[in-house]
Amino acid sequence: MKAVVMAGGFGTRIQPLTNSIPKPMLPIMNRPMMEHTIVSLRDLGIKEFIVLLYFKPEIIKDYFKDGSAWGINITYVVPDDDYGTAGAVKRAQEHIGNENFIIISGDLVTDFDFQAIFDYHTSKNSKLTITLTSVENPLEFGVVIANNEGKIEKFLEKPSWGEVFSDTINTGIYIIEPEILDYIPNNENFDFAKDLFPMLMRKGIDLMAGYAQGYWRDVGNPESYRDVYDDILSGKIKLHLGGEAIKYPDGVLIVEEDNNIDESVEIIGIVVIGNNVTIKKGVKLNNVVIGDNVSIGGSSKVCNSVIWNDVEIGKNAKLDGCVICNNNKIGKNVTAKSGLILAEGCEIGELVTVEKDVTIWPDKVIEDAAIVSRSVILGSKYKNSIFENGLVIGKSNVELSCEMATKLAEAFGAQLPVGSTVLVSRDSAKSSRMLKRAFLGGLLSSGMDVIDYGSIPSAVMRCSLSYHDKYSAGVHFNQKLDDPTSSVITFYNHEALRINNDVAKKVEKAFFKETFRRVDYSRIGQIYLSDHTKEYIGYKKGMEELLQSHMFKCLNCRIAVDMMHGVASEVFPDILNEMGVDNIMFNAHPDDQRLENINTLTKRSYEDMSAVITALDLDAGFMIYPHGQRLDILCDKGILLSKQASLFVVLTLLNMEAKSKEMVKRVFLPTWAADFVRFDHLKIEHGEYANFKSEQMKQYDLVTTGEGNFAFTEFSTHRDSMYATLKILEMLVSHRVKLSELIDALPRFYYHSFHVECTQSKKGKMMRMFLEDAKGKKSSTLDGVKIWLDKQDWILMIPDQYSDRLNLYIQAKNESNGELIRQTYTAKIEEWMHS
C-alpha cells in the first residue's frame, strides 16, 4: 500500500501561524504536524509516500527531502493549478500505479488505529472506504450516514444546525483501490465529497464507512492548534515525544541534549524542551512545549504555552496560554494573559502587558510599557511603519482589510489639494477589486476626484499619469506574486514614480494620528470610469512613434511571448500584431488560479517556451511577468538567461546602438549590479536606487536594477516590460545579431547575492564592523558599504530596510575567488554577531 498525503492548502483560517510556513509544517511537540502522520503510517509498513503540494512547496521539500531520513521514499507532485482534492490526486496517478492507497491530510492530528482501518477495507472487499468519526460540533465537516452493513447512504457537506442529522463526520482519510482514479477527469477541478462520491453512488459503486475510535482533530484555526496541545498535555492523545524523560516532584521534563537548565527550575505537568535551550534561575514551567534556540530569563513563569524556535524571553516574564512563533524577542517584566498568539519576527518591549485573546501579527514592534488590549495587525499604532519603498503589503482581508484601505486613502488624500485627480487601477484578483473599492471611498471623502481604470496593467496607468499634468497621483492594487494570500498597494506621484520616503512618512503620520480631511458634502469627489480605450491607444501610439515598426514587418523575425496570465494580455498582443511582429503567444488570458503558484507557472512557461523556440527556430522568447514590470528573456537556443546575462545582453545591444550613432549613452545601475564588463560607448553610473525624481531619471537612457526590470527613458521613466521587449527586439534586428552570440561573448566571472539574518538592534554594529574591516582597502559608503579586495573583486553589504537581515553581493573574477570571499565574510559576520 502507498500513502498520498494532501499538503497543499494555504492555511488561511489559521493565520498568522502560517505566515511563512505551510500548515502541515506547524510544529506539534517540536515536530511538523505532517511528520507525526508520516511516522504513524511508516510504522505500519508503508514505505512509499506521494505528497501533493501547492502552497510554499519548497519548505516541505527542504524538510523531508526524499524521505530517506525516515526510512521511506517520498515523491512530490506540485499541480500547476487548483484541481480540487480528487483532481489533485488524479495528477499523481502515474506514481500511484496499480496498488491501493490511503489518502490522508497533512494538517490533522490523530492516533487512529490505521491497521484496523486497512483490515476493515479488506474485509468488506471495498473499492473506496471513508473513515468516519464522531465529533461534538459537526458544522465544519461533512456529515455521513451509513447502514448496518457499513454502506454509506447519505452525505451533507458542512451543514447548518438545522440540517444536522448526525455527529458522524468524514475525516478525509480514504482507502482507495486504483481503478477508482479512472472516474476522476484529467485537468479539471474535481472534489472528493462534492463530485466523486455522488458520482460513484449514482453508478452503483458502494462506498463503505470505516468507523474509527480514538483522537482526531482537524487543525483549522489558531484555537484548534492550541486545543491540540491541551489535549496532548492532558493525555487525551498519545504521541511519541522523543528525548529523555526526567521525573520531577510535580511533573515530567522531556528534554533533548545540549541544554542549560538551572537546577532551581520548577517543572509542573508535562514540559517538553528542544535543543540549545537556556532556562535561568527561578523559572516555573507548567505544561509547556519549547522548541530550539530558546532562552527564558530568571524568575519567569510560563504555563500552558507553546514556544517555537529562536525565541528570547526576558526575566520575570509571565506568559499564560500563549503561542509564541519563531524569531521573537520578549523583554523583561512582560505579562501576557491567556490567549496571546505572537506571530514571527516581533519585538516586545519591557513592562508590556498583553490583555486576553490578543493576536500580534508578524514583524511588529511593541514599545516599552505599552498595554496591548486588541489584536495588532498592519496599520496598528504598534507597527513602526506601513510603507516599504512606496508599497503597502499585507495579508488580504486580514492585515489589508477594507477598513485599512479606506483609512490609507483618507491619509493619502489629505496630502493632495482638494479637487485633485487620482488614477486608480488593479489587476484581476478578487482581493484587489475589494480593496480598491474600499480605497475609492476614502479618496472621495478627502475631496479627490478619481479616474477608475479597473483592471489594467500598471505600466499603462503610469504612462497616462506621466503624460498628463492634470493628474496628481496614481494607486495600483495587485496580488503579491510569491504569496497569493497577500495584496500590494503601490502609490505613485504625479511623475508616475513611487512616492518617496518623505511622502510615505507624511501619509503614515496622518494615518496613525487619524488627521484626515473629510470635506464638506458639496466638495466630495466623483468617480469617472474608463474603458481603457483612450489609454491603450495613447500607449500604443507612444511606442509606434519611438520604435522602427516597419523593421519588424519586413524582416523575418519571429518570437515567442508568454503573458503569464497578467492583465497586460489585454493590450500587448494587439501591439505586437499591429507593429508586424511575428509572434507565438502563450497564456494571454487572465487566470487567478494559475497565478496562485507563480513558481510552478514560471517553470512550466520556461519549459513550454524553450521547446517551441528550439522546435520552430525562433529568434527569442520573452516572459512578461503578470504586473508588467519584470522581464525574463530566452535566447534563440531556448535557454533562459540569468539576470546577469540579461543585463549584459541589454547593455551590449545599447552599446552597439550608441556606437552606430557615434554617441555615448548613459546608464544607471544600483551599487549591487555587476560591473565586470566595460562598454566603450556607455557611461555607466552606480548609485543608490531609491527616491528618484523624473528629472534625474531622464538624464539616463536606461535605468535598471539588473533584476529583469528595464526603464528605457525615451518612452517612460518607469519599468515597463512591454516596451523593453520591443526595444530589445528592435536592437537585435537593427544590428543583426542573435542572443546566443551575445551570450557566447559574455566573459565568465563570479557574481552571487545572498542574505544573513540580523536583528534591527545589531545592524548598526555590523555596518561599523564592516567599515572597520575596509580600512586599508578601497571602499565606498554610497549605498551600504562596498569593499574592493582586488581591481574587480568586491563585496557589498546593505542592511535590509524592512527585514531583519543583511543583504550581501559579491563579484569576483572566478568562482574560487568568489567562494573564498563569501566564506571569509560569512565567518567574519558570524564572529561579529557574537562579539
Side-chain angles (χ1 to χ4, degrees):
M1 178 178 284
K2 295 181 179 179
V4 176
V5 182
M6 311 288 284
F10 288 103
T12 304
R13 290 183 299 133
I14 202 169
Q15 292 180 28
L17 299 182
T18 50
N19 179 66
S20 65
I21 59 174
K23 189 162 63 163
M25 296 301 289
L26 292 179
I28 298 292
M29 308 307 281
N30 291 339
R31 300 286 183 274
M33 190 176 349
M34 182 170 139
E35 183 176 347
H36 292 287
T37 299
I38 286 176
V39 169
S40 295
L41 294 173
R42 177 205 65 186
D43 291 347
L44 290 177
I46 296 180
K47 302 299 182 184
E48 292 291 327
F49 285 77
I50 299 158
V51 179
L52 305 184
L53 304 176
Y54 196 66
F55 180 61
K56 297 186 182 295
E58 66 283 351
I59 294 176
I60 295 176
K61 286 182 178 181
D62 288 347
Y63 183 84
F64 289 101
K65 296 184 171 61
D66 63 358
S68 57
W70 288 264
I72 60 175
N73 179 63
I74 296 179
T75 300
Y76 298 100
V77 176
V78 185
D80 58 357
D81 203 344
D82 181 4
Y83 293 107
T85 52
V89 174
K90 178 71 172 181
R91 304 285 289 186
Q93 186 170 10
E94 64 177 297
H95 305 293
I96 294 170
N98 295 320
E99 296 181 57
N100 63 5
F101 57 98
I102 180 173
I103 291 179
I104 191 166
S105 173
D107 53 13
L108 59 81
V109 178
T110 183
D111 63 1
F112 283 168
D113 182 349
F114 287 108
Q115 187 61 58
I117 296 171
F118 301 155
D119 293 343
Y120 177 83
H121 175 81
T122 302
S123 69
K124 291 292 185 178
N125 196 25
S126 173
K127 298 295 183 186
L128 194 156
T129 300
I130 300 172
T131 305
L132 310 181
T133 195
S134 297
V135 295
E136 292 181 357
N137 183 355
L139 299 188
E140 290 298 314
F141 310 104
V143 177
V144 182
I145 288 289
N147 65 18
N148 293 334
E149 287 76 41
K151 178 182 172 182
I152 292 174
E153 296 181 331
K154 189 175 182 181
F155 287 100
L156 185 61
E157 279 296 301
K158 297 185 179 180
S160 65
W161 275 119
E163 297 171 307
V164 168
F165 50 73
S166 172
D167 66 349
T168 304
I169 59 102
N170 176 2
T171 64
I173 301 172
Y174 313 130
I175 312 294
I176 300 180
E177 296 300 315
E179 57 263 36
I180 292 295
L181 292 176
D182 295 336
Y183 292 94
I184 303 173
N186 281 307
N187 302 323
E188 288 186 24
N189 191 296
F190 207 71
D191 189 75
F192 278 114
K194 295 178 183 176
D195 302 307
L196 181 62
F197 297 163
M199 174 204 287
L200 296 176
M201 293 174 75
R202 287 195 301 270
K203 292 180 178 292
I205 297 172
D206 291 344
L207 307 182
M208 304 306 295
Y211 292 91
Q213 300 295 321
Y215 184 90
W216 177 90
R217 183 180 285 274
D218 170 55
V219 185
N221 53 53
E223 291 72 28
S224 62
Y225 180 76
R226 201 194 326 263
D227 290 344
V228 165
Y229 275 93
D230 291 342
D231 293 341
I232 294 170
L233 298 177
S234 63
K236 289 185 180 178
I237 175 176
K238 303 296 183 185
L239 287 181
H240 177 67
L241 305 181
E244 178 188 1
I246 303 171
K247 291 188 177 180
Y248 280 70
D250 297 311
V252 175
L253 172 63
I254 299 170
V255 63
E256 302 283 352
E257 300 176 355
D258 303 323
N259 292 303
N260 182 13
I261 302 172
D262 191 90
E263 60 183 16
S264 66
V265 171
E266 185 178 353
I267 302 294
I268 301 173
I270 298 175
V271 175
V272 179
I273 293 178
N275 292 305
N276 192 30
V277 173
T278 299
I279 302 179
K280 297 186 177 177
K281 185 177 179 180
V283 170
K284 180 178 179 179
L285 302 176
N286 181 352
N287 281 346
V288 178
V289 178
I290 299 171
D292 298 338
N293 308 316
V294 174
S295 67
I296 301 178
S299 302
S300 293
K301 295 178 175 60
V302 184
C303 65
N304 302 315
S305 295
V306 182
I307 301 171
W308 292 7
N309 302 328
D310 304 298
V311 174
E312 180 183 339
I313 300 172
K315 67 180 183 180
N316 201 33
K318 296 177 177 62
L319 308 179
D320 180 15
C322 302
V323 177
I324 310 296
C325 298
N326 296 330
N327 301 305
N328 279 303
K329 184 176 181 181
I330 299 174
K332 298 184 290 187
N333 300 301
V334 168
T335 299
K337 300 178 183 178
S338 178
L340 168 66
I341 293 175
L342 182 64
E344 63 189 2
C346 295
E347 187 172 335
I348 310 299
E350 299 178 8
L351 291 166
V352 168
T353 299
V354 182
E355 298 292 346
K356 189 177 180 182
D357 296 327
V358 163
T359 298
I360 299 178
W361 281 69
D363 305 314
K364 302 298 181 288
V365 176
I366 309 296
E367 296 181 356
D368 294 348
I371 298 174
V372 185
S373 58
R374 57 187 173 85
S375 292
V376 181
I377 58 175
L378 183 68
S380 164
K381 64 183 179 183
Y382 303 107
K383 182 174 169 64
N384 56 1
S385 66
I386 300 174
F387 284 90
E388 298 180 10
N389 193 24
L391 310 174
V392 178
I393 304 170
K395 295 292 182 183
S396 307
N397 213 24
V398 181
E399 293 179 300
L400 274 181
S401 63
C402 289
E403 178 189 15
M404 170 74 179
T406 302
K407 289 178 65 178
L408 262 177
E410 291 181 295
F412 184 60
Q415 312 311 311
L416 301 170
V418 173
S420 299
T421 300
V422 179
L423 308 184
V424 182
S425 59
R426 61 170 174 82
D427 66 5
S428 59
K430 291 187 292 185
S431 53
S432 302
R433 178 186 286 109
M434 174 193 74
L435 292 171
K436 188 210 72 178
R437 288 182 174 178
F439 192 89
L440 293 182
L443 287 178
L444 301 180
S445 170
S446 63
M448 300 294 102
D449 287 334
V450 175
I451 297 181
D452 183 359
Y453 281 151
S455 175
I456 194 174
S458 62
V460 178
M461 183 271 278
R462 294 174 75 179
C463 188
S464 294
L465 180 58
S466 62
Y467 283 4
H468 296 92
D469 293 337
K470 60 183 178 181
Y471 302 146
S472 300
V475 183
H476 185 75
F477 296 77
N478 62 266
Q479 181 176 278
K480 197 167 186 286
L481 270 185
D482 57 354
D483 179 9
T485 67
S486 296
S487 291
V488 181
I489 309 176
T490 309
F491 293 75
Y492 301 109
N493 61 19
H494 66 285
E495 295 179 327
L497 301 176
R498 291 184 194 174
I499 60 171
N500 61 31
N501 292 339
D502 290 339
V503 175
K505 286 176 182 176
K506 289 178 182 177
V507 176
E508 286 178 357
K509 185 177 179 181
F511 180 94
F512 290 135
K513 292 190 174 183
E514 298 192 354
T515 52
F516 305 139
R517 180 187 63 214
R518 289 171 178 156
V519 298
D520 178 77
Y521 81 95
S522 62
R523 306 187 74 184
I524 291 172
Q526 297 187 66
I527 297 176
Y528 301 92
L529 300 177
S530 168
D531 64 359
H532 310 163
T533 302
K534 183 175 71 174
E535 288 73 27
Y536 283 162
I537 290 173
Y539 185 70
K540 294 174 188 175
K541 186 177 179 182
M543 286 189 179
E544 290 171 354
E545 288 175 352
L546 286 168
L547 297 169
Q548 302 174 47
S549 59
H550 64 277
M551 295 184 63
F552 301 130
K553 296 176 182 178
C554 64
L555 292 177
N556 184 25
C557 177
R558 303 166 68 214
I559 64 171
V561 179
D562 194 325
M563 301 307 302
M564 298 181 74
H565 302 295
V567 290
S569 59
E570 293 182 1
V571 61
F572 197 48
D574 289 343
I575 291 174
L576 291 174
N577 293 334
E578 288 182 17
M579 297 185 75
V581 179
D582 193 356
N583 68 89
I584 297 173
M585 189 66 58
F586 293 81
N587 299 321
H589 62 281
D591 191 326
D592 294 341
Q593 286 189 338
R594 293 191 184 276
L595 289 177
E596 287 178 353
N597 197 331
I598 190 65
N599 291 330
T600 300
L601 173 61
T602 303
K603 181 175 180 291
R604 192 189 66 178
S605 295
Y606 161 59
E607 291 171 350
D608 291 348
M609 293 265 284
S610 178
V612 169
I613 289 170
T614 52
L616 300 181
D617 194 25
L618 304 184
D619 294 283
F622 298 91
M623 293 168 61
I624 311 288
Y625 274 68
H627 305 319
Q629 295 186 357
R630 178 179 163 185
L631 174 68
D632 278 357
I633 305 171
L634 289 88
C635 75
D636 47 289
K637 293 183 179 178
I639 299 171
L640 180 68
L641 274 58
S642 68
K643 292 175 182 177
Q644 282 304 311
S646 295
L647 177 61
F648 172 79
V649 161
V650 173
L651 292 178
T652 302
L653 289 169
L654 196 65
N655 189 62
M656 289 178 174
E657 184 174 272
K659 182 179 179 180
S660 68
K661 295 180 179 179
E662 298 183 349
M663 62 184 296
V664 173
K665 288 185 175 284
R666 296 186 66 187
V667 177
F668 180 90
L669 298 176
T671 53
W672 63 78
D675 56 5
F676 195 85
V677 184
R678 297 290 184 266
F679 297 92
D680 294 338
H681 291 269
L682 298 182
K683 183 179 180 181
I684 298 177
E685 295 179 28
H686 290 77
E688 185 178 4
Y689 192 83
N691 293 332
F692 267 113
K693 291 184 177 178
S694 180
E695 215 170 282
Q696 292 174 279
M697 293 190 73
K698 287 177 180 176
Q699 296 173 9
Y700 303 98
D701 296 281
L702 171 66
V703 178
T704 175
T705 64
E707 296 179 333
N709 299 311
F710 302 98
F712 289 95
T713 59
E714 64 187 22
F715 179 68
S716 65
T717 55
H718 55 266
R719 294 172 285 183
D720 186 335
S721 57
M722 291 182 281
Y723 184 79
T725 295
L726 287 168
K727 182 63 180 178
I728 292 166
L729 188 60
E730 180 195 50
M731 292 189 291
L732 281 171
V733 170
S734 297
H735 303 291
R736 302 187 178 184
V737 292
K738 288 186 174 292
L739 284 171
S740 57
E741 295 170 353
L742 299 180
I743 295 303
D744 290 341
L746 173 64
R748 300 292 178 256
F749 65 98
Y750 177 96
Y751 182 84
H752 182 60
S753 62
F754 62 103
H755 65 262
V756 175
E757 298 301 319
C758 177
T759 61
Q760 196 80 16
S761 59
K762 289 189 176 181
K763 285 180 180 177
K765 176 185 176 182
M766 290 300 101
M767 295 299 288
R768 172 171 54 83
M769 300 298 288
F770 207 71
L771 198 55
E772 287 178 6
D773 189 80
K775 287 180 180 176
K777 309 181 185 82
K778 180 184 174 184
S779 64
S780 168
T781 55
L782 183 63
D783 185 17
V785 176
K786 191 173 189 177
I787 303 173
W788 278 264
L789 304 166
D790 200 345
K791 187 176 181 181
Q792 292 179 306
D793 294 6
W794 50 255
I795 180 168
L796 168 67
M797 183 170 79
I798 304 176
D800 195 287
Q801 187 175 354
Y802 307 106
S803 303
D804 285 345
R805 67 189 194 186
L806 306 169
N807 298 316
L808 290 112
Y809 308 85
I810 298 171
Q811 175 183 285
K813 56 190 171 188
N814 54 52
E815 186 167 352
S816 59
N817 279 23
E819 280 301 300
L820 179 60
I821 295 170
R822 185 183 67 81
Q823 292 169 13
T824 300
Y825 276 91
T826 300
K828 284 184 178 184
I829 291 170
E830 182 71 19
E831 180 184 340
W832 296 337
M833 288 275 192
H834 297 96
S835 64

